[in-house]
Amino acid sequence: MTDALAPGATIGILGGGQLGRMLALAAARLGLKCHVYDPDTGAPAAQVAAAHTHAGYDDLDALRGFAAAVDVATYEFENIPTAALDAIEAQVPIRPGRQALAVSQDRLAEKTWLSGLGLTVAPFAAVDDAAGMEAAVARIGAPSILKTRRFGYDGKGQARLHAADDAAAAWAAMNGAPSVLEGFVDFEREISVIGARAADGQIACFDPGENVHRNGILHTTTVPARVPRALATDAVLLAGRILNALDYVGVIGVELFVTPSGLVVNEIAPRVHNSGHWTQNGCLIDQFEQHVRAVAGWPLGDGSRHSDVVMTNLIGDEVFAQLGVADAGLHLYGKAEARPGRKMGHLNRIAPRA
Amino acid sequence: MTDALAPGATIGILGGGQLGRMLALAAARLGLKCHVYDPDTGAPAAQVAAAHTHAGYDDLDALRGFAAAVDVATYEFENIPTAALDAIEAQVPIRPGRQALAVSQDRLAEKTWLSGLGLTVAPFAAVDDAAGMEAAVARIGAPSILKTRRFGYDGKGQARLHAADDAAAAWAAMNGAPSVLEGFVDFEREISVIGARAADGQIACFDPGENVHRNGILHTTTVPARVPRALATDAVLLAGRILNALDYVGVIGVELFVTPSGLVVNEIAPRVHNSGHWTQNGCLIDQFEQHVRAVAGWPLGDGSRHSDVVMTNLIGDEVFAQLGVADAGLHLYGKAEARPGRKMGHLNRIAPRA
């Protein structure tokens, strides 16, 4: 408990969306206060936090004021400008640390780093211009996916190549943004491991969940994943290697493809993760509390699973059909407007462990 | 879902202690906002609510402003002045309703009402003066307990009579407050049922828990209670009768003594209850969410129990020894000062259902 925050201390959260909101609720359960930083006055997390700064990520004065008001800073998204991070870190620690952000902000850096760790990733090649695109497609082939190196999420900033002929159109769709061409991975299923590492190096991972996407957005996560026990163990050990290599503090999401030749790392997210929302109703300690505990310098909690869970995202106006649901854990994000494609909430259906 | 609050609507909570705080956290999970009314600027619930009015319960202007800002009002304690309730109810519904408050604010009214419903309560007699005390002790005998009719909680406003000789001292300890002398009930154990009733009359009760007190304050609640299945069913049916008789909307706590001759009702609390805190880690939907759902006009959720639980209250500085606890659900209330006898948090230890 060295350097652990005392109850009543304040965690700063960069980003006030649903992840920040659920982090703030978990911190409140532990008697900790939260201060949310978000440009949007209507940010979902602001409704449940003790304090809120609404200012842009380029407003260094506001960032310094925020840092002065908190005991430690964390974040709900990885695309935070470097200057903003520098301004905060001059005053308080940022957890998870800068290496995790540097690696995960850039798909090329991420794949290069994961490969260097000896992990398997999809074949990839950097694409910075039309000539590079041609060279990349010659090497990686098709089907493949071109993705911007930065700022992509939920299928945005991506173009599929069904055949090599699609290369020019795919590159045009990137609007000149530095990109990565990723080879197609013929996977049986996608799973993810939500792992946590405390400041003292203690690691706790949740059971792997199996993810199904719709329209490029996570649709369901089912736990346990339908994989052999040995593979589930491998997945957890792999997440542990990543956590240790990054000297990580907090919760990480590791997306993995299950293939006939083993596990392929799809991507890592240095934060709580949508595919870990099942933990809220499946475990004594959920991913949000685990992250708060790590960031606060507390020991991790018991993340073992008491129930089987199917988590279903509620996208756009799907949410209205579910307000009366009684047989599931309902989690709504307090967003004013149910725009198409917007994550409005999720449902956790539980069953006794099979 | 008639008259159900839409996501984004605001629930007003009278009282900003730990119960109000945990209600606000549950409301936030459902995408609802809370506005907390409490005289204390440091009220635990205010840290997690979208809005906070700090004013006294005699400040009718502030109460009217609060009522104007919310869609429905509820409360975390039953001793709210009638004038305050009138001012609020002129503008918005109060749930649970006034009858439940009238009955539970006054121990004499409560025992009279429960008896009238055909339920067994301890032998009791009103005490308004020294002569009444003498008459009461002649009828009820000793051992017995003298309690003020109003404003008692956690053992406060009570005096034990070990023998009839203690009568004068016990009455003196009440400082002239109208009181009730309660006969001693020779019980095997105390259990409680946390019940919920929706606006449309739907009822859902949690499994009975077994309570152990220390120094007049709840120490542990263990679920399941060690009682035969038939008795547990009786306890739940009894709670259901009380809920229906009060045309109740919300969560109620019903404390029961298990005696050789059956169940004796100790007291009812028209609110979420300390002995229901185990539901946070033992059920898909906990007592706080169940209360919010009822008050919001939503259907009740699935309150079935997935785990066995032992809830332990953390009183005063006991809390500091538990900050590192990893194998239990830890809930801290955000109170600045750990005064002796003050409820600072609680722990839920879970185990697979036996």
Side-chain angles (χ1 to χ4, degrees), chain B residues 44-103:
Chain B
Q47 296 164 13
V48 297
H52 178 208
T53 297
H54 47 92
Y57 293 105
D58 55 354
D59 184 340
L60 294 181
D61 284 342
L63 288 160
R64 289 189 195 105
F66 166 78
V70 306
D71 296 295
V72 62
T74 189
Y75 44 88
E76 61 150 19
F77 72 116
E78 50 270 41
N79 294 316
I80 304 156
T82 300
L85 296 166
D86 289 342
I88 292 166
E89 204 167 27
Q91 296 184 66
V92 291
I94 297 177
R95 290 174 171 168
R98 297 295 288 274
Q99 196 195 348
L101 277 165
V103 162

Side-chain angles (χ1 to χ4, degrees), chain A residues 102-309:
Chain A
V103 162
S104 61
Q105 280 181 345
D106 181 329
R107 290 184 196 278
L108 183 62
E110 182 177 310
K111 291 195 183 293
T112 306
W113 184 83
L114 289 166
S115 296
L117 200 61
L119 302 176
T120 307
V121 297
F124 66 98
V127 176
D128 294 314
D129 51 31
M133 183 70 208
E134 215 168 306
V137 83
R139 183 146 72 82
I140 306 294
S144 51
I145 309 177
L146 188 65
K147 300 177 178 178
T148 56
R149 281 172 57 174
R150 297 174 64 95
F151 304 118
Y153 66 97
D154 286 350
K156 297 185 176 82
Q158 303 193 1
R160 271 173 196 277
L161 281 72
H162 300 282
D165 286 355
D166 297 335
W171 172 242
M174 299 299 110
N175 290 313
S179 299
V180 182
L181 184 66
E182 295 182 11
F184 180 75
V185 177
D186 188 16
F187 59 91
E188 293 163 6
R189 48 180 52 92
E190 183 197 297
I191 63 174
S192 54
V193 176
I194 308 301
R197 189 168 178 273
D200 67 358
Q202 177 200 9
I203 285 181
C205 293
F206 294 101
D207 285 350
E210 180 168 343
N211 303 324
V212 173
H213 296 260
R214 266 195 199 166
N215 306 318
I217 302 176
L218 183 64
H219 173 49
T220 59
T221 299
T222 301
V223 189
R226 292 167 302 165
V227 294
R229 184 184 294 251
L231 190 138
T233 304
D234 283 352
V236 164
L237 292 174
L238 183 159
R241 272 182 75 185
I242 293 173
L243 287 166
N244 281 330
L246 291 169
D247 193 18
Y248 197 87
V249 179
V251 160
I252 198 169
V254 180
E255 293 181 11
L256 300 164
F257 294 132
V258 179
T259 78
S261 55
L263 291 167
V264 175
V265 183
N266 181 30
E267 62 179 39
I268 61 177
R271 51 171 168 81
V272 288
H273 196 259
N274 194 167
S275 70
H277 290 0
W278 67 269
T279 60
Q280 294 176 308
N281 296 104
C283 301
L284 180 67
I285 307 298
D286 69 22
Q287 67 164 346
F288 301 99
E289 180 169 336
Q290 209 68 301
H291 187 77
V292 168
R293 283 173 166 267
V295 165
W298 291 24
L300 300 178
D302 175 3
S304 60
R305 183 168 56 81
H306 56 67
S307 298
D308 291 353
V309 189

Side-chain angles (χ1 to χ4, degrees), chain A residues 7 21 25 28-31 33 47-50 281 284 293 298-302 306 323-326 328-332, chain B residues 1 7 21 25 28-31 33 47-50 281 284 293 298-302 306 323-326 328-332:
Chain A
R21 179 182 175 102
L25 294 176
R29 277 205 305 272
L30 296 176
K33 295 195 185 102
Q47 297 164 14
V48 298
N281 296 104
L284 180 67
R293 283 173 166 267
W298 291 24
L300 300 178
D302 175 3
H306 56 67
L323 296 182
V325 71
L330 178 64
H331 301 261
L332 300 181
Chain B
M1 300 284 288
R21 180 182 174 100
L25 295 177
R29 276 205 304 270
L30 296 176
K33 295 193 184 103
Q47 296 164 13
V48 297
N281 296 105
L284 180 66
R293 283 173 166 268
W298 291 25
L300 300 178
D302 175 3
H306 56 68
L323 296 181
V325 70
L330 177 64
H331 301 262
L332 301 181

